Amino acid sequence: MINKAFLRKELMEYLKTSKFIILIILFAFFAILSPVLAKYINELLKLLSTDLAIVLPEPTYVDAWLQFYKNMTSLCLIVFMIIVTGTVAQEKNKGSIMLVLTKKVSRFDFIFSKFLAGIIIYTIVLIVSLLLSIAYTYLLFDQFAYDGLIISLVLLWLMGIFYMTLALFTSVIAKTPTIAALLGFVGYALFNLLNIANSIQKFNPAGASSLLNQILVGASTNTDNIICLIATSLGIVVVYTITYMIFRKQEI
Amino acid sequence: MAKTAVKISNLTKVFDDLVAVDKLSLSVPEGAIYGFLGPNGAGKTTTLKMVVGMTEPTSGEIEVYGNKLTFGSHKFREDIGFLPDVPGFYDWMTAKEYLKFAGSLYNIPNTVLKDRIRDLLQTVGLTKSQNKKVGGFSRGMKQRLGIAQALINNPKIVILDEPVSALDPIGRKEVMDIIASLAGKVTVFFSSHILADVERVCDHVIIIKDGRNMLEDSVENIRNLSKSREMEMEFENDEAKSFQDSIKNSGWVEKLDIEGKKAKIKVNDLDNARVEINKWICQNNIMLKKYIVAEPTLEDIFIKVVNGND
Ligand SMILES: Nc1ncnc2c1ncn2[C@@H]1O[C@H](COP(=O)(O)OP(=O)(O)O)[C@@H](O)[C@H]1O
Ligand SMILES: [Mg+2]
């Protein structure tokens, strides 16, 4: 069993510092913005250029989801990652880690609590934004469900956890919180870059960010989805294990 | 015979090509207030971090109550309280919340914890500030909270890394008084580079330099060593020479240098030296421009110790 008091402190820290409020506002904002933007993008473009020649197709709920996935996997995720990159690096920087690790908190307790707290917080903000986005999509388009919605959401959730684990990794290896944040961003960019090649996308732990769009338009097979799901889960386990192995032997 | 609380044998820590701790051996008797002295960079922090399991020794052994400590083990967490050189807290917690958090990490029952927190806040003088956020605490307040958190689990051994070095003289005295008040209740193992602090509260002292043991002894013996002091005098007129003639055969003179109107004297018995020098000044109606008795520094003792061991 892990040290529950430390996990509780991790969760309280998200609440008592502004981290949680920033995340929930940011995620909720984009969750609502996505369907709204999808619905009124044409009107907006028309307003901006009076002599618009091209005829834009009428937006559907699919556009709302496209927007939602795009926002959830870019800015929102990056902000969440940056927040997580501070979690170990800041404790080292301030020295608070030493007081905790010399009490009954093992290195495993420490890192696993941070991992777990990250999952819990991410899951909460994701569910809230999902519910908001579904509500607005339904309101504006009278429809929101599509084939593969469930697997898409699972993939989205897992990919977020993968990036959070990656952020935890950079937080452990970096000497300062700033370097950790930079490394986290580089990590995000690198894994995103792997999605350029269509053929390896499904093997990429961060493959979901493009696979989600393909599932939405029915261009992805079930097998590919499962492969991606396994790749992402494996990515989480591998990155977490490496992080723990390094942290276990680290000199504080 | 008193038991040994912490025993270190041939402890060595090498960073890249720097030997920070070099085959260091020491033993802290149970119930002692044990001072760990050495100039900056001597390897005190590194040694203490190895004892609390934050750093892995390159070689050597650490025993706590006769049981060997292995890196990554959790065995002695209940017995040890630790205050690092720069304690870090969570700024969003109040002092009381932090102590509650620290106690909950040990699964201390709430009823016990509540009383203990009240007592500890009292001991370290933070009762009035208990509901203030730690983020707004001064260095001295943090240091005191640091001592309180090190005692939260009622440890048998308290390890403090330079608990007073960053404080002003008043804060230093207050914190040293807290440490002195622990005498007899717990074993205190604390480091400092300020001799005066250690002299007052410790019963045992080790002096290290470059990671090596220079001297491990009782404070009484160390104090005798520090009777050796340097004095500096400057005369208004040319009396240095006659001063030299009149004191050079006194037993307390170790070294005497005259330069113009200035005299530098090293004495091994400060009290006697001062009485006799004052007498000579009065009898001969000497006018002085300068009369300085240098504070004993750790460095003086080092030199003494190193020379004595040669
Ligand atoms: N993590 C580290 N990496 C490299 N050198 C270190 C590290 N920690 C300490 N040192 C070096 O080890 C020596 C002892 O340092 P330290 O134990 O902090 O001394 P003290 O606490 O007595 O001032 C110093 O020369 C210091 O620069
Ligand atoms: Mg130090």
Side-chain angles (χ1 to χ4, degrees), chain A residues 216-232:
Chain A
L216 195 56
V217 296
S220 173
T221 67
N222 242 333
T223 333
D224 284 359
N225 299 346
I226 298 294
I227 290 175
C228 185
L229 191 142
I230 293 170
T232 311

Side-chain angles (χ1 to χ4, degrees), chain A residues 134-169:
Chain A
I134 285 178
Y136 275 82
T137 304
Y138 189 70
L139 214 74
L140 295 170
F141 299 101
D142 288 324
Q143 190 182 359
F144 71 89
Y146 65 93
D147 271 355
L149 176 60
I150 300 295
I151 182 94
S152 297
L153 296 179
V154 172
L155 281 173
L156 175 68
W157 181 69
L158 279 176
M159 190 182 72
I161 294 171
F162 170 73
Y163 274 128
M164 183 273 291
T165 316
L166 196 64
L168 197 60
F169 169 73

Side-chain angles (χ1 to χ4, degrees), chain B residues 122-185:
Chain B
Q122 186 91 43
T123 308
V124 301
L126 284 177
T127 308
K128 269 199 205 136
S129 319
Q130 60 178 307
N131 292 319
K132 284 201 189 116
K133 291 252 160 63
V134 183
F137 271 26
S138 69
R139 190 73 180 78
M141 289 162 90
K142 282 187 181 166
Q143 210 65 15
R144 284 188 267 167
L145 180 59
I147 291 180
Q149 65 79 35
L151 294 168
I152 195 77
N153 54 327
N154 225 347
K156 293 191 199 132
I157 304 164
V158 191
I159 297 175
L160 312 166
D161 192 3
E162 307 241 9
V164 296
S165 300
L167 305 181
D168 58 31
I170 296 169
R172 209 141 87 195
K173 182 174 182 315
E174 284 173 357
V175 171
M176 285 320 286
D177 286 345
I178 297 170
I179 293 172
S181 75
L182 299 173
K185 294 180 207 149

Side-chain angles (χ1 to χ4, degrees), chain B residues 37 172 192-200 207 221-231 265-271 274 292-304:
Chain B
L37 275 167
R172 209 141 87 195
S192 178
H193 64 266
I194 304 161
L195 181 64
D197 292 334
V198 175
E199 265 188 313
R200 199 163 63 81
I207 299 176
N221 295 343
I222 303 250
R223 240 189 223 126
N224 289 338
L225 288 172
S226 73
K227 273 194 185 149
S228 164
R229 294 278 271 276
E230 275 197 28
M231 299 173 70
I265 324 146
K266 202 160 170 201
V267 302
N268 58 23
D269 184 344
L270 184 64
D271 296 345
R274 281 208 275 203
I292 298 170
V293 178
E295 283 301 314
T297 64
L298 209 50
E299 223 44 55
D300 294 339
I301 292 181
F302 280 145
I303 292 162
K304 181 99 186 164

Side-chain angles (χ1 to χ4, degrees), chain A residues 156-211:
Chain A
L156 175 68
W157 181 69
L158 279 176
M159 190 182 72
I161 294 171
F162 170 73
Y163 274 128
M164 183 273 291
T165 316
L166 196 64
L168 197 60
F169 169 73
T170 66
S171 195
V172 163
I173 61 166
K175 284 231 152 55
T176 71
T178 316
I179 294 173
L182 283 173
L183 285 178
F185 189 77
V186 169
Y188 173 85
L190 282 180
F191 276 96
N192 234 354
L193 214 63
L194 287 181
N195 284 331
I196 287 180
N198 260 336
S199 51
I200 59 161
Q201 197 179 90
K202 60 182 176 231
F203 302 112
N204 180 2
S209 57
S210 34
L211 206 62

